[in-house]
Amino acid sequence: MAEYILGISAYYHDSAAALLRDGVVVAAAHEERFSRKKHDAAFPRQAAAYVLAEAGIELSELAAVAFYDKPYLKFERLLETYHGFAPSGLRSFLSAIPVWIKEKLFMKKMLREELAELGPGKPRILFPEHHLSHAASAFYPSPFDEAAILTIDGVGEWSTTTIGVGRGKDITFLRELDFPHSIGLLYSAFTYYCGFKVNSGEYKLMGLAPYGIDGSARVLEYKAKILETLVDLRPDGSMLLNMAYFNYATGLTMCRDAKWEALFGLPRRLGESELGQEHMDLALAIQQVTEEVVLRLAQTARELTGCKNLVMAGGVALNCVANGKLLRDGIFDDVWIQPAAGDAGGALGAALAAWHIWAGHERTPLPEGALDRMAGSYLGPQFTRADALRLASRREAPHTLYADFGDLCAVVADLLAEGKVVGWFQGRMEYGPRALGGRSILGDPRNPEMQKKLNLKIKYREGFRPFAPSVAAEAVSDYFIQDRPSPYMLLVAPVAESLRFPLPDGYWQMPMFDRLYVNRSKLPAITHVDFSARIQTVHAGTNPRYHQLITTFGARHGCPVVVNTSFNVRGEPIVCTPEDAYRCFMRTEMDYLVVGDCLFAKEGQPEYAETGDWRGEYELD
């Protein structure tokens, strides 16, 4: 009989469920994709129901359910923190503690009640620590038999950063940094101060940083103030934060605005207001400090473990700029990062920790030809040709059905070359925050207008934000300074020198958008202002259809690279179903939609009637 373990993350942000069968991941998904609520923190009832259905089992057939952290330890941290900072923090205390006393202290009972909605049965419930869940999500699916483990996030129970080592089925922690000292929370504080949403907008801060003027007096001044006043950074990567400047320990905001304004000479930016060069320089300063922290932590991990490979998880592991610099620095021979590195990935990590540590099972050999044990992170729901045809019938939507997928690829490749934007819905939905060619919006990277069109007319998001390239894995080194796979869009690398154009005189003195719209390379739509790109290598073994489209585009138009952005608009979760995809297609200025073997052209579709302003459905991220 097969043995099943269900992993759950919930009640903070990015709830998710993941299911193992004999230690192999069967399915995993974010709750937000089903509920259509961005960063949904509720118990992942729909995601859990999906993963059980994908395996064809009932709740009663589970050996265990693993929750991704230890509630009692987290409550201990809250009480000790409020006590340590008293009398400040009373408002936060009165807000948080009643919820814990009423509900979260009885987490096992809450989980039992939620699980009962999925069907009969009372599987054992396990509570691995938060950073063990992260570490397990990084090490066990990786291709390495032995590796150093680095987990970095805001905070779990107490830990904010850990260094460990994985060997076989065992994980051992060697060093730990505890709350309130946290590079994740420091980065979130700058996210907040620059006017972006915490636990959502950190990637915007990372995307804003290259607009800062590297080496300028202001960037150097900001970095000095961070390192002299806000952070005591040690050679091993550990740190102490000056808590007189922060409010997150017991308050309701990230930092003490008045003290930051006095320090930086810059008031906190309000959301959606204009971005000045000073905000860009501040973003670059904290990004460079973060990169230095990551490099020091990695060096310490190498010295402590002696391992030649590194695995990473935790929210800070989604900082793909830091990841790229870490890889190029050569501290480790190779680096593998969990594609669902944030809290959603804790569901998978909790299940894997239960399988290997609680149940004591050894790891299985890496499947022949596989890059890792994540199946490309294509672990969500998939839909059939019949589902696509039912969508077309229900919507009375004109479409073309292709019997030969190669013919469809040729048509789509030519549409992309004509400057059309294509919604691409194929196979299983991705697990993790990135669209990887299952639920993607595609464009031609050679088109100098594509970046602007995608931001302003398709995604309805801030115009400064960059787009990522998907490149056929075998061609990656022809277009980027990158010598290895990057299947999960978690590494930033420079665009190849041979593709770059010289920058005009006075480039760095230009206004933000003038800089952005300078044609910097032969692939302008994916070349960021500092000649970087967040790369996804596409492999025939994990996504044959997407790979075929890209290679067809290369064969017909001389460029096996496409622009890939997630299939959603700002504030909306990535689409899950064909209906979600069609709705997004009709609400935006997307030109074509592909669902399986069906091609829908915007021209000729029946009017999409809606009452009210649909954008009000989504809170801006």
Side-chain angles (χ1 to χ4, degrees):
M1 291 283 291
E3 189 171 342
Y4 294 91
I5 294 177
L6 175 67
I8 295 291
S9 65
Y11 305 127
Y12 182 46
H13 61 90
D14 295 314
S15 295
L19 185 70
L20 303 181
R21 178 174 55 226
D22 293 336
V24 177
V25 58
V26 174
H30 300 234
E31 182 68 8
E32 67 167 21
R33 310 290 168 82
F34 303 91
S35 68
R36 312 308 299 157
K37 298 176 184 176
K38 188 80 167 174
H39 302 301
D40 196 341
F43 180 84
R45 186 179 301 173
Q46 295 178 82
Y50 154 67
V51 299
L52 293 172
E54 185 70 30
I57 65 165
E58 304 290 338
L59 185 76
S60 59
E61 298 175 67
L62 293 174
V65 174
F67 187 72
Y68 80 132
D69 68 12
K70 287 185 177 294
Y72 284 172
L73 272 181
K74 188 170 285 188
F75 186 62
E76 175 191 84
R77 187 249 298 168
L78 288 172
L79 287 180
E80 290 197 22
T81 300
Y82 284 123
H83 178 264
F85 284 87
S88 67
L90 180 61
R91 281 182 61 207
S92 176
F93 178 87
L94 294 175
S95 171
I97 296 303
V99 176
W100 275 88
I101 292 174
K102 182 180 178 182
E103 296 177 352
K104 292 186 179 181
L105 277 179
F106 307 99
M107 184 68 74
K108 185 174 284 191
K109 179 175 180 291
M110 284 176 60
L111 291 173
R112 284 263 178 246
E113 291 171 352
E114 293 285 5
L115 290 167
E117 298 293 321
L118 299 173
K122 286 191 174 182
R124 182 164 184 168
I125 299 177
L126 308 172
F127 295 92
E129 290 187 27
H130 184 93
H131 275 260
L132 176 58
S133 295
H134 277 321
S137 78
F139 177 59
Y140 294 126
S142 79
F144 310 131
D145 295 326
E146 176 182 281
I149 306 171
L150 182 57
T151 70
I152 321 173
D153 66 3
V155 61
E157 296 89 2
W158 278 105
S159 301
T160 64
T161 301
T162 69
I163 295 173
V165 62
R167 294 186 174 97
K169 67 177 178 60
D170 299 318
I171 289 175
T172 304
F173 288 108
L174 305 173
R175 293 287 188 277
E176 177 181 308
L177 183 67
D178 284 347
F179 184 85
H181 308 293
S182 165
I183 185 58
L185 290 173
L186 176 66
Y187 202 85
S188 290
F190 278 86
T191 300
Y192 160 85
Y193 204 73
C194 287
F196 303 121
K197 192 173 180 180
V198 173
N199 290 329
S200 173
E202 284 77 4
Y203 60 94
K204 298 183 187 182
L205 190 69
M206 183 180 66
L208 183 66
Y211 293 93
I213 301 174
D214 191 15
S216 67
R218 184 158 52 201
V219 169
L220 294 174
E221 177 191 354
Y222 285 164
K223 285 178 66 177
K225 288 182 175 180
I226 293 169
L227 292 170
E228 292 169 5
T229 303
L230 296 184
V231 186
D232 179 5
L233 176 59
R234 307 296 172 82
D236 64 357
S238 63
M239 65 176 63
L240 292 173
L241 299 186
N242 182 351
M243 294 308 296
Y245 283 81
F246 296 92
N247 198 37
Y248 59 76
T250 56
L252 301 176
T253 60
M254 289 303 299
C255 54
R256 301 187 188 280
D257 293 3
K259 292 182 75 71
W260 278 51
E261 182 172 351
L263 178 63
F264 293 112
L266 175 68
R268 180 171 72 89
R269 173 179 172 262
L270 300 178
E272 310 307 310
S273 63
E274 184 178 355
L275 283 160
Q277 186 60 50
E278 61 274 19
H279 301 110
M280 306 172 211
D281 291 341
L282 192 61
L284 179 58
I286 187 56
Q287 176 64 32
Q288 290 182 347
V289 168
T290 301
E291 291 162 10
E292 182 61 30
V293 172
V294 171
L295 289 174
R296 292 189 189 189
L297 289 169
Q299 184 63 50
T300 302
R302 179 70 195 243
E303 292 168 1
L304 287 173
T305 66
C307 295
K308 64 181 182 179
N309 297 311
L310 174 72
V311 298
M312 296 175 66
V316 177
L318 293 171
N319 192 308
C320 47
V321 178
N323 296 342
K325 292 189 176 179
L326 170 59
L327 184 63
R328 291 190 296 279
D329 198 67
I331 297 171
F332 289 92
D333 292 356
D334 206 357
V335 178
W336 190 88
I337 304 147
Q338 165 55 235
D343 276 7
L348 176 58
L352 287 165
W355 176 255
H356 291 292
I357 297 172
W358 172 69
H361 295 292
E362 299 290 340
R363 295 170 79 196
T364 56
L366 191 68
E368 186 176 353
L371 296 173
D372 52 42
R373 297 171 175 84
M374 286 297 294
S377 215
Y378 303 108
L379 297 168
Q382 60 185 334
F383 298 86
T384 65
R385 175 183 286 192
D387 292 318
L389 293 175
R390 276 193 287 270
L391 165 70
S393 175
R394 185 169 60 252
R395 290 291 183 181
E396 298 182 350
H399 64 282
T400 304
L401 176 63
Y402 286 83
D404 186 319
F405 184 70
D407 292 342
L408 175 58
C409 285
V411 170
V412 173
D414 291 347
L415 291 171
L416 292 173
E418 293 169 12
K420 306 302 184 186
V421 175
V422 179
W424 183 256
F425 186 104
Q426 297 286 346
R428 297 186 71 173
M429 182 178 67
E430 302 89 341
Y431 179 52
R434 310 291 184 220
L436 302 170
R439 307 289 185 272
S440 292
I441 298 172
L442 310 180
D444 185 346
R446 304 166 304 168
N447 188 324
E449 298 299 317
M450 188 54 62
Q451 193 268 357
K452 182 188 294 186
K453 180 177 182 179
L454 285 170
N455 267 333
L456 302 182
K457 295 187 176 184
I458 310 297
K459 303 282 285 189
Y460 303 121
R461 68 185 199 180
E462 302 95 334
F464 73 85
R465 289 167 58 182
F467 288 100
S470 292
V471 56
E474 53 274 20
V476 63
S477 296
D478 297 334
Y479 292 86
F480 307 97
I481 302 176
Q482 175 83 13
D483 63 354
R484 65 196 70 201
S486 176
Y488 304 121
M489 212 180 282
L490 286 171
L491 295 171
V492 163
V495 171
E497 296 275 0
S498 60
L499 301 178
R500 300 184 191 182
F501 299 142
L503 297 176
D505 292 339
Y507 176 76
W508 288 105
Q509 285 68 52
M510 293 178 178
M512 175 189 229
F513 288 105
D514 289 354
R515 263 180 279 164
L516 176 61
Y517 298 137
V518 165
N519 198 356
R520 292 175 297 280
S521 83
K522 294 179 181 178
L523 302 178
I526 56 85
T527 303
H528 205 9
V529 291
D530 60 350
F531 292 106
S532 68
R534 188 181 70 195
I535 299 167
Q536 180 201 2
T537 54
V538 180
H539 303 259
T542 50
N543 196 332
R545 286 195 156 209
Y546 193 36
H547 185 269
Q548 186 174 346
L549 172 66
I550 293 171
T551 54
T552 301
F553 186 70
R556 295 174 76 88
H557 301 287
C559 179
V561 184
V562 298
V563 181
N564 172 15
T565 187
S566 55
F567 202 146
N568 60 338
V569 298
R570 183 181 176 191
E572 178 191 19
I574 294 173
V575 300
C576 176
T577 67
E579 181 66 31
D580 296 336
Y582 187 82
R583 183 187 309 114
C584 186
F585 166 61
M586 293 301 295
R587 285 172 167 178
T588 67
E589 295 181 48
M590 220 177 300
D591 301 299
Y592 289 86
L593 169 66
V594 176
V595 179
D597 298 319
C598 294
L599 176 66
F600 300 81
K602 179 65 67 63
E603 186 177 339
Q605 295 299 315
E607 182 178 354
Y608 191 78
E610 290 190 278
T611 57
D613 182 6
W614 62 266
R615 294 196 206 187
E617 294 178 21
Y618 306 123
E619 182 181 347
L620 293 181
D621 60 7

